[in-house]
Amino acid sequence: MLNRSNKLIQFKRFYSTTTATINNNDPPKLIKKDTIYSLSSGVGKSGVAVIRVSGPQSKNVLQSLINKEKEPKDRLATLGTFYHPTTKEPLDKGIYIWFSNPNSFTGEDVVEFHIHGGRAVIHDTLEAISTIPGTRSSQPGEFTKRSFDNGKLDLTQVEGLSDLLDAQTQHQRKIALDQMQGSIGKFYHTLRNDLIRASAYMEAFIDFGDDAELEPEIVEQSKQKILAIKEKIIQHLNDGRRGERLRDGAQIAIVGPPNAGKSSLLNLLAKRKASIVSPIPGTTRDIVEVVLDIGGYPVVVGDTAGIRHSTLDLIEKEGIEMAKERFKQSDIKLFLYDCSIHGDDADSMDLLLNIIDKNTILVFNKVDLVDKKLNWDSKRKEILDTIYQRKGFHSNYIEISCLENIGIQNLLLHLENNLKQLFEIDDKEAPLLTRVRYKEHLNDCVESLNRYIYYCDSDIVLASEELRSAIKSIGEITFSVNIDDLLDVIFKDFCIGK
């Protein structure tokens, strides 16, 4: 039996060990692997091409190609002539940069050859490297995977790098760069570390209890801290899918009756002929999608089938149902109304009232064709008043002419303001939740914390076990011991040489 003094010493060791894991930044031991090489710049003729080599034979590769055994200087761009290791034939004159481990992208010895971007130069340089024993061509994403394996990047940074390579808009680039630099990883590390700190005294109370002179109040103190962490996670989860939208693009649907100008509007926004424009009703059957950059935000604009009450065409009927479903699911909804209609427009008005909601932007098209005898101001007021009386909200509207390119800039500014509201968040401390898997792990964490709260007052051992489960769930966002399948999915989408 341990006496009280020895137990107290043991508790202090336990607590220091538990909290020390939070700040343990020692780099992992490098795993011995093959030396890999690949073209890391774009394929095709270019002014400069970059070939990257990583692994234990990197220095041998460099010395073989420059035909010298001198020790390379770290991180210094050096001009030199490159030779074939076997024939000693000159291949090119360019620059090489040496990165000794662990201060490289992969954490291994790395050398980069900056050569001229001609096809023959690239081919012959790669072939020359392949003659050196212990080297092989890399697989897609293998450089990044080695960086992960060697602790240079966590999983969120790897995914941020993937998003940065795929970024098509300014805001996608900004968010991906922040994530690659560790913003979201630091946020999740902080949550996990806070849970570890809050759980340390509870674990000690279970193991040592009164013998370590620990008061039962420490369980309540830990509980209050954990409740605060749980609320922070819930707030992070309630981001309105902003992060997912930023990666995949916000959905914009263009709906309305046949010949209202939906396809013409899509072509104007896309600045190309993306959809067929025809006076024949029912021309658009399927949903025509175009990916656009509006104000730096990624969007997917869908031109849909013209909606009307009756048609004998079964394919058109299917298209109309798809249009209605797309309208419901879209983040931004545009309803095109032909304001040049003469006489009775009861069908258009009835359709408008059936489908419009408070998030719909009413776009009055063909203002250039409004009959001068028709008092359009009065007609527009009548339409808006009817919407308010029947639906109970004031509808946002824009007037345009696709034919004369009138009001299109106003529409784009209106869309940009709506997109800003969709993407921007007030909480600057919490990064955007960019992936579904983060949400799944966080939901698992919250469920474990709920069970912890349930057991906390009745069974402290079970409560502690749920707390460990919560900590594990957050840890799996940035790293995990059973992630081989996940890694395969992540790295297979990387290009060769990255």
Side-chain angles (χ1 to χ4, degrees):
M1 296 291 290
L2 291 173
N3 60 34
R4 175 168 296 189
S5 176
N6 287 338
K7 281 195 171 185
L8 187 56
I9 292 172
Q10 187 173 337
F11 160 66
K12 289 178 178 178
R13 288 174 178 170
F14 162 83
Y15 182 73
S16 61
T17 302
T18 303
T19 54
T21 61
I22 296 172
N23 299 313
N24 184 8
N25 295 318
D26 294 336
K29 293 182 179 179
L30 296 180
I31 303 170
K32 293 293 184 182
K33 295 181 178 179
D34 296 335
T35 296
I36 57 174
Y37 63 89
S38 188
L39 176 69
S40 291
S41 54
V43 178
K45 184 179 178 181
S46 61
V48 176
V50 179
I51 292 177
R52 177 184 283 167
V53 182
S54 179
Q57 292 298 317
S58 293
K59 185 179 291 186
N60 185 27
V61 170
L62 173 59
Q63 292 174 336
S64 297
L65 262 67
I66 64 174
N67 203 19
K68 296 178 181 178
E69 295 185 357
K70 67 178 183 179
E71 194 71 17
K73 294 182 179 180
D74 207 29
R75 296 172 175 267
L76 178 67
T78 306
L79 182 66
T81 300
F82 306 131
Y83 301 87
H84 194 287
T86 305
T87 66
K88 306 303 179 183
E89 176 190 1
L91 299 171
D92 191 23
K93 187 173 184 178
I95 290 173
Y96 63 86
I97 307 175
W98 168 256
F99 304 88
S100 59
N101 75 81
N103 300 314
S104 69
F105 174 71
T106 62
E108 303 173 326
D109 285 342
V110 170
V111 61
E112 289 183 356
F113 297 98
H114 295 238
I115 60 177
H116 292 97
R119 293 181 183 274
V121 177
I122 295 171
H123 174 272
D124 290 352
T125 304
L126 290 172
E127 191 276 330
I129 295 172
S130 72
T131 64
I132 299 172
T135 64
R136 63 172 175 82
S137 181
S138 71
Q139 298 296 316
E142 191 169 2
F143 286 94
T144 306
K145 189 174 187 301
R146 291 193 177 195
S147 183
F148 169 78
D149 289 339
N150 294 325
K152 305 295 289 187
L153 299 173
D154 66 28
L155 277 183
T156 63
Q157 290 175 295
V158 169
E159 289 163 326
L161 176 56
S162 176
D163 290 344
L164 185 62
L165 295 173
D166 292 333
Q168 298 181 11
T169 71
Q170 177 187 13
H171 290 279
Q172 284 180 322
R173 175 189 60 78
K174 286 181 177 179
I175 297 301
L177 181 60
D178 284 345
Q179 182 168 336
M180 189 197 74
Q181 291 177 331
S183 63
I184 199 165
K186 289 176 183 175
F187 178 75
Y188 294 138
H189 278 302
T190 299
L191 288 176
R192 177 176 178 271
N193 294 341
D194 288 346
L195 282 176
I196 291 174
R197 288 190 181 96
S199 67
Y201 273 110
M202 175 176 285
E203 295 281 355
F205 183 81
I206 295 172
D207 289 345
F208 306 109
D210 293 335
D211 288 333
E213 299 181 349
L214 299 174
E215 299 296 332
E217 286 78 6
I218 65 171
V219 176
E220 183 61 28
Q221 292 173 4
S222 295
K223 180 179 177 181
Q224 293 306 315
K225 291 179 181 178
I226 291 166
L227 282 171
I229 296 169
K230 175 193 162 189
E231 288 305 312
K232 190 172 184 178
I233 295 173
I234 290 174
Q235 289 178 10
H236 179 52
L237 283 167
N238 295 332
D239 76 333
R241 292 185 57 249
R242 286 177 172 85
E244 293 174 48
R245 283 197 192 98
L246 191 63
R247 290 189 66 250
D248 302 330
Q251 297 288 325
I252 298 179
I254 305 175
V255 300
N259 293 340
K262 300 182 297 298
S263 298
S264 297
L265 177 59
L266 179 69
N267 292 342
L268 273 176
L269 295 176
K271 297 181 180 180
R272 63 182 175 87
K273 190 174 181 179
S275 187
I276 298 174
V277 177
S278 168
I280 303 173
T283 300
T284 302
R285 306 292 186 90
D286 208 343
I287 297 174
V288 179
E289 291 187 334
V290 175
V291 179
L292 300 178
D293 177 344
I294 297 180
Y297 299 104
V299 298
V300 181
V301 184
D303 175 24
T304 63
I307 302 175
R308 51 179 169 174
H309 291 302
S310 62
T311 177
L312 298 178
D313 192 318
L314 295 178
I315 298 177
E316 186 182 356
K317 284 183 178 180
E318 181 66 22
I320 290 172
E321 291 305 312
M322 290 174 62
K324 291 179 179 178
E325 186 63 28
R326 176 61 176 267
F327 184 81
K328 292 178 182 178
Q329 296 177 354
S330 291
D331 302 304
I332 298 177
K333 307 167 184 179
L334 303 180
F335 186 98
L336 257 65
Y337 190 99
D338 185 352
C339 61
S340 70
I341 296 176
H342 301 285
D344 185 17
D345 60 348
D347 286 346
S348 295
M349 196 64 204
D350 184 53
L351 172 62
L352 172 63
L353 292 171
N354 283 334
I355 199 170
I356 195 172
D357 59 33
K358 62 182 179 180
N359 296 318
T360 304
I361 301 172
L362 181 55
V363 182
F364 291 115
N365 189 26
K366 305 184 184 180
V367 292
D368 59 310
L369 299 179
V370 172
D371 193 328
K372 294 181 180 179
K373 296 180 181 179
L374 176 67
N375 187 339
W376 169 242
D377 289 340
S378 176
K379 179 66 175 178
R380 181 184 59 228
K381 184 177 184 303
E382 179 185 338
I383 293 172
L384 297 174
D385 287 346
T386 303
I387 293 172
Y388 179 72
Q389 292 167 6
R390 296 277 296 274
K391 307 294 288 187
F393 56 81
H394 295 286
S395 180
N396 293 320
Y397 72 92
I398 297 285
E399 294 182 347
I400 69 168
S401 167
C402 293
L403 184 63
E404 299 294 335
N405 200 6
I406 297 172
I408 302 301
Q409 286 303 315
N410 288 336
L411 176 60
L412 286 170
L413 287 173
H414 200 76
L415 290 174
E416 186 176 337
N417 289 333
N418 278 263
L419 289 166
K420 186 175 182 180
Q421 294 176 20
L422 281 175
F423 288 117
E424 299 296 333
I425 56 175
D426 296 329
D427 187 358
K428 299 302 181 183
E429 295 182 2
L432 288 173
L433 192 59
T434 55
R435 291 184 181 259
V436 173
R437 80 170 189 91
Y438 303 166
K439 185 177 294 185
E440 291 173 348
H441 288 307
L442 290 171
N443 280 325
D444 289 343
C445 176
V446 170
E447 289 178 6
S448 294
L449 292 179
N450 285 334
R451 290 192 292 269
Y452 154 80
I453 294 166
Y454 177 80
Y455 289 122
C456 196
D457 296 329
S458 59
D459 193 325
I460 195 171
V461 175
L462 285 177
S464 181
E465 192 62 36
E466 293 297 342
L467 202 50
R468 292 193 195 98
S469 178
I471 292 170
K472 180 175 179 291
S473 294
I474 290 187
E476 287 178 344
I477 296 176
T478 53
F479 60 87
S480 173
V481 292
N482 297 314
I483 54 171
D484 289 341
D485 293 339
L486 175 61
L487 292 181
D488 289 342
V489 172
I490 291 174
F491 292 114
K492 77 178 179 61
D493 292 330
F494 274 75
C495 53
I496 297 288
K498 193 64 180 176

